[in-house]
Amino acid sequence: MLADVDPSEDPVLARALVGTIRDDWRPAADAMASAREWERRAYVTLTLATAAARRGTWLQKWLEARPGDRDAAAVHAAVETLQAS
């Protein structure tokens, strides 16, 4: 999925995906916070969920650092949905 995001066109999401490789959840939290329109939010959520399905350490750290974070919960729910498919 990292290859599908052009850093020149979507630098926020590209940074978030690089962060997932480094087990850093903060860029993902920033990307989710910046996604205010529904279509954009769905795209960011599913892109991050795909990354978490491959390597979920960063998402676990996010959930532990911010237990009530709705953005982290949305990504987590999307991961569970992807894995159930």
Side-chain angles (χ1 to χ4, degrees), residues 18-36:
V18 169
T20 68
I21 294 167
R22 297 178 179 155
D23 292 332
D24 183 4
W25 57 269
R26 289 169 189 87
D30 292 343
M32 288 294 290
S34 73
R36 299 180 194 273

Side-chain angles (χ1 to χ4, degrees), residues 45 48-49 52 58-60 62-63 70-83:
T45 302
L48 293 174
W58 64 272
L59 180 55
Q60 281 307 122
W62 186 5
L63 291 165
R70 292 181 182 185
D71 289 337
V75 174
H76 185 256
V79 171
E80 289 182 349
T81 300
L82 290 174
Q83 291 175 340

Side-chain angles (χ1 to χ4, degrees), residues 25-66:
W25 57 269
R26 289 169 189 87
D30 292 343
M32 288 294 290
S34 73
R36 299 180 194 273
E37 296 176 3
W38 283 108
E39 284 184 31
R40 173 69 179 166
R41 186 166 178 77
Y43 175 69
V44 171
T45 302
L46 289 175
T47 302
L48 293 174
T50 301
R54 293 182 184 150
R55 180 179 177 89
T57 305
W58 64 272
L59 180 55
Q60 281 307 122
K61 288 181 178 183
W62 186 5
L63 291 165
E64 290 168 7
R66 295 187 180 167

